[in-house]
Amino acid sequence: MPPRNFTQANSTNKIQLQIDRSPDICPVCHSSVVPIETNTDYCTNGNAEITYRCPRTSCSRFFIARYTVSSGVAHLQLCLPATHFVTTQPKLVAEISPSFANIYGQAEAAEAQPLSEIAGVGYRRALEFLVKDYLISQYEDEKAKADIRGLFLGRCIEKYVKNENVKLVAKRAAWLGNDETHYVRLWEGKDIKDLKNLIALTVSWIEMELRTLELKKDMPDNVPLAAGTVDKDGK
Ligand SMILES: [Zn+2]
């Protein structure tokens, strides 16, 4: 790569530096790219920065490549802003629990920082919203809804979740989730990945149930009669 003249602090003179490499992944959309260089750069106290723009039309965001400088060479360290992948939750699940989708996304952001201790607590909180919002959507009775809101998560699952598959996975997710918040870890050898897997399974079973309920509503058990026909009772 040709050397680049960087703007300097406290000097009108530019400083020429060799750049070891340009970024090849956009930190915003995470795509492999040849980024568009801008004229904005800066060098001070052994650090150099260049502003780039993502060439993908769907992204087109600016980002900053940060370099450390030694012996006239700028070495690429990282690109900012460091964004993370957000899991897209199934539509039906996100509809009954927008808070779950939101908190889960925040936990993923924490995990990407990496703030894994905080992320675990976030995933546990997301699970509680998922299970409780799902249950509240399933019960008509206001007393039951109030009970669901107030109960500890484990007790809530035990008492109110009727679907055996949801119960099986949600219960285990809650066990691992509690390990993320409590002082003593009961499930040695299990970590945040196992918790995320169990939450994903819980989401899948809840989605299957919601989709099945939708189908039942759309196509009830009674087969409609073709126009102009009568059944054997003459109806
Ligand atoms: Zn991009």
Side-chain angles (χ1 to χ4, degrees):
M1 288 181 67
R4 182 185 177 106
N5 293 319
F6 282 80
T7 305
Q8 291 192 88
N10 306 324
S11 171
T12 50
N13 295 330
K14 299 245 180 181
I15 181 171
Q16 194 174 72
L17 298 173
Q18 184 66 48
I19 297 165
D20 70 340
R21 64 188 176 94
S22 295
D24 54 7
I25 290 176
C26 167
V28 180
C29 69
H30 303 275
S31 304
S32 291
V33 292
V34 179
I36 301 163
E37 270 191 53
T38 72
N39 288 325
T40 314
D41 57 41
Y42 205 72
C43 176
T44 183
N45 298 331
N47 293 306
E49 295 186 338
I50 305 173
T51 307
Y52 289 91
R53 192 163 67 77
C54 178
R56 295 184 71 230
T57 315
S58 57
C59 177
S60 301
R61 300 285 298 271
F62 285 104
F63 61 89
I64 295 168
R66 190 169 283 173
Y67 296 82
T68 54
V69 180
S70 66
S71 311
V73 181
H75 302 271
L76 180 62
Q77 298 300 310
L78 52 90
C79 290
L80 299 166
T83 59
H84 62 283
F85 285 108
V86 176
T87 303
T88 306
Q89 302 298 344
K91 188 170 161 272
L92 288 176
V93 173
E95 272 171 13
I96 60 156
S97 186
S99 298
F100 163 68
N102 184 26
I103 300 165
Y104 196 94
Q106 290 193 19
E108 285 180 312
E111 192 183 358
Q113 284 305 310
L115 302 170
S116 55
E117 297 287 337
I118 301 299
V121 179
Y123 288 124
R124 164 64 176 76
R125 183 172 163 83
L127 174 71
E128 176 146 0
F129 275 79
L130 169 68
V131 171
K132 291 194 169 183
D133 286 345
Y134 153 70
L135 286 173
I136 287 166
S137 78
Q138 300 298 297
Y139 283 85
E140 300 283 330
D141 179 31
E142 286 304 323
K143 257 180 86 178
K145 286 181 196 279
D147 197 28
I148 289 163
R149 285 191 190 97
L151 277 177
F152 284 121
L153 179 59
R155 182 81 192 97
C156 197
I157 293 167
E158 210 54 64
K159 187 171 174 186
Y160 287 104
V161 177
K162 290 181 194 152
N163 181 310
E164 285 305 319
N165 290 315
V166 175
K167 182 176 265 184
L168 186 141
V169 291
K171 196 157 79 174
R172 282 157 179 79
W175 291 342
L176 292 193
N178 288 343
D179 269 3
E180 298 296 330
T181 58
H182 294 163
Y183 194 84
V184 177
R185 186 174 278 273
L186 298 178
W187 291 85
E188 292 292 342
K190 301 274 183 215
D191 60 17
I192 212 168
K193 265 193 213 136
D194 300 293
L195 173 60
K196 284 166 71 180
N197 280 338
L198 278 171
I199 293 177
L201 259 180
T202 308
V203 168
S204 294
W205 281 116
I206 287 177
E207 192 206 3
M208 293 249 274
E209 188 183 354
L210 295 174
R211 286 175 63 182
T212 310
L213 288 173
E214 271 207 342
L215 177 75
K216 272 187 185 167
K217 251 192 230 165
D218 188 43
M219 298 177 68
D221 278 337
N222 300 331
V223 180
L225 295 170
T229 60
V230 289
D231 68 12
K232 64 181 166 39
D233 298 326
K235 283 184 257 175

